[in-house]
Amino acid sequence: MSDASTIAAPPTRAGYERIPLYAPGTAPCATDVSDTINLWGAPPAAVAAVRASTVETIAHYPALYNAELKAPLAAYAGVAPDEIVTGCGSDDVIDCALRAFAEPGGIVAHAAPTFSMVPVYARANGMEPVGVPLAGDDYAVDADALLALDAAIIYLCSPNNPTATPVARETLRRVVAGARGLVIIDEAYAEYVLADPDARAEVFTPEAPGMGRVLALRTLSKAFGLAGLRVGYGVGHPTIIREVEKARGPFKVTYPAEKGVLAALDDVDDARRWVETHARLAVAQRVRLEDGLRALGLAPAPSAAHFAFVPVPRARAVAEQLRARFDVGVRVFTGLPTALPSAVPALAASGGEGLRINAGPEPVQRAFLDALAAVLEGMR
Ligand SMILES: *Cc1c(COP(=O)(O)O)cnc(C)c1O
């Protein structure tokens, strides 16, 4: 029998006490727009392949380094098979890349706010995450301030989670030219950029291997609707890929996950068309979501993905009322940077608070917007 109050727990590594368990504060709710997953589901062919795989040779290991995934992923991403590393989600590829390319104690520089797992994996690997605030009306990444940190690793995310705003080509070029270590460009939402007729972002993945010190990250968790399978991948020069794979180990992606992803990539039963169709739908819904937010007098960030980020004063209270009165879940952000003169004006005006909202099927989105209108009206 275990009793947490009486065991003499072994000491953890220094700094570990500052690492939180991931707890975004979401419980199941009727209208859940709090994540950035695919609210339309998953390609049916991928689901069928996962089902079938469990009655196949599940007693076997997958191929070393999940080699069977590399050719189809490479063809999909527009690179060569030896320019691909897979992982247990792109989370895992981030974790492995940090371990491979930075010393314990090294600085991991990133824009702030950005993907919340980056500071966590930096600390878990004994490194020091340092955030550089996004600046101005367009939530721009400050290349000079990032480079001034002389970091072992610079992490960029385009479109950025949670702000949905892009990294400009010129910014990426300057960061790569000035960096002394690895530059990670996380493109988890690339499919939505490609599906957007008025795209505010570019997709850099195919160029990553030629950029030398760059590792681009992609995932099957968002537009492909396969978050539960946990498959992500990195794209870069083969020299970089090999080093990340040492930190990764040979068997990261499970056999059923491998089969599900292969079915999606091989376009079984039009799986790729399913992904593209729903990415286009999600982008169209995001445009309506931004319009709906503006109609409520709010100023959403210029989104290049399928979700919206909107600065809102007292965002936590708004989210609590959304949940309590309407069973609606959104993601809350507080304590975002407002101190510098260059701070994003809308964030400074909201006291550094905001909401991130996923685009979804119209009934879901309507329920969210109606609930938000009622909550804001009641708080006036
Ligand atoms: C969701 C997300 C990921 C996570 O991906 P997994 O492949 O599910 O681990 C990575 N990066 C960003 C920016 C994300 O928003």
Side-chain angles (χ1 to χ4, degrees):
M1 220 176 72
S2 66
D3 179 349
S5 64
T6 57
I7 73 154
T12 58
R13 214 174 57 212
Y16 238 66
E17 66 285 352
R18 293 164 62 199
I19 303 175
L21 283 172
Y22 184 59
T26 45
C29 51
T31 302
D32 190 349
V33 289
S34 67
D35 263 314
T36 59
I37 56 169
N38 193 327
L39 289 182
W40 284 267
V47 176
V50 173
R51 279 218 182 90
S53 76
T54 61
V55 294
E56 288 173 14
T57 55
I58 212 165
H60 290 239
Y61 282 102
L64 289 177
Y65 299 98
N66 297 97
E68 285 170 18
L69 282 176
K70 290 192 178 196
L73 278 173
Y76 172 69
V79 298
D82 63 352
E83 294 167 342
I84 296 273
V85 52
T86 57
C88 177
S90 51
D91 264 42
D92 180 40
V93 184
I94 295 174
D95 185 32
C96 296
L98 296 185
R99 272 207 303 287
F101 284 95
E103 301 289 338
I107 289 178
V108 177
H110 58 85
T114 199
F115 186 39
S116 61
M117 295 311 294
V118 169
V120 171
Y121 286 124
R123 289 207 171 93
N125 285 293
M127 294 150 199
E128 192 57 45
V130 181
V132 170
L134 295 170
D137 278 320
D138 55 356
Y139 295 67
V141 169
D142 187 339
D144 293 330
L146 280 171
L147 291 172
L149 292 167
D150 195 33
I153 295 189
I154 297 177
Y155 170 93
L156 299 172
C157 186
S158 183
N160 183 47
N161 183 358
T163 58
T165 49
V167 174
R169 174 174 288 274
E170 176 58 15
T171 304
L172 178 62
R173 192 196 63 75
R174 285 183 45 218
V175 167
V176 173
R180 74 170 166 85
L182 182 70
V183 176
I184 296 175
I185 175 91
D186 189 335
E187 301 196 285
Y189 302 103
E191 281 78 9
Y192 297 103
V193 174
L194 298 173
D196 188 345
D198 305 307
R200 292 164 169 146
E202 285 187 76
V203 173
F204 303 110
T205 304
E207 300 168 55
M211 289 198 243
R213 60 181 66 247
V214 174
L215 181 68
L217 297 181
R218 299 283 290 270
T219 180
L220 279 294
S221 296
K222 305 290 159 63
F224 275 85
L226 300 173
L229 292 187
R230 311 301 308 123
V231 183
Y233 56 107
V235 176
H237 190 276
T239 313
I240 290 177
I241 295 302
R242 280 184 36 145
E243 302 307 328
V244 178
E245 285 197 322
K246 287 186 204 167
R248 171 207 195 261
F251 306 119
K252 260 306 171 53
V253 178
T254 66
Y255 186 79
E258 206 175 41
K259 294 302 171 202
V261 170
L262 282 173
L265 292 171
D266 288 348
D267 206 18
V268 175
D269 289 339
D270 279 337
R272 293 269 289 276
R273 176 125 53 91
W274 187 98
V275 172
E276 278 166 35
T277 302
H278 290 89
R280 273 200 299 274
L281 208 56
V283 168
Q285 283 298 89
R286 180 267 293 167
V287 172
R288 298 175 74 167
L289 178 59
E290 288 179 298
D291 288 345
L293 292 166
R294 276 191 289 266
L296 296 175
L298 300 171
S303 173
H306 68 306
F307 56 91
F309 174 81
V310 64
V312 180
R314 301 173 58 209
R316 188 171 302 285
V318 171
E320 279 166 8
Q321 287 204 33
L322 283 171
R323 182 170 282 270
R325 291 174 55 194
F326 299 99
D327 207 17
V328 168
V330 294
R331 187 65 50 86
V332 181
F333 293 84
T334 59
L336 303 180
T338 58
L340 299 177
S342 60
V344 174
L347 267 183
S350 77
E353 304 203 358
L355 302 175
R356 191 194 65 200
I357 306 124
N358 199 3
E362 182 57 19
V364 174
Q365 207 155 285
R366 198 67 261 158
F368 161 75
L369 283 169
D370 289 348
L372 182 63
V375 167
L376 292 179
E377 181 60 35
M379 288 175 75
R380 250 185 260 283

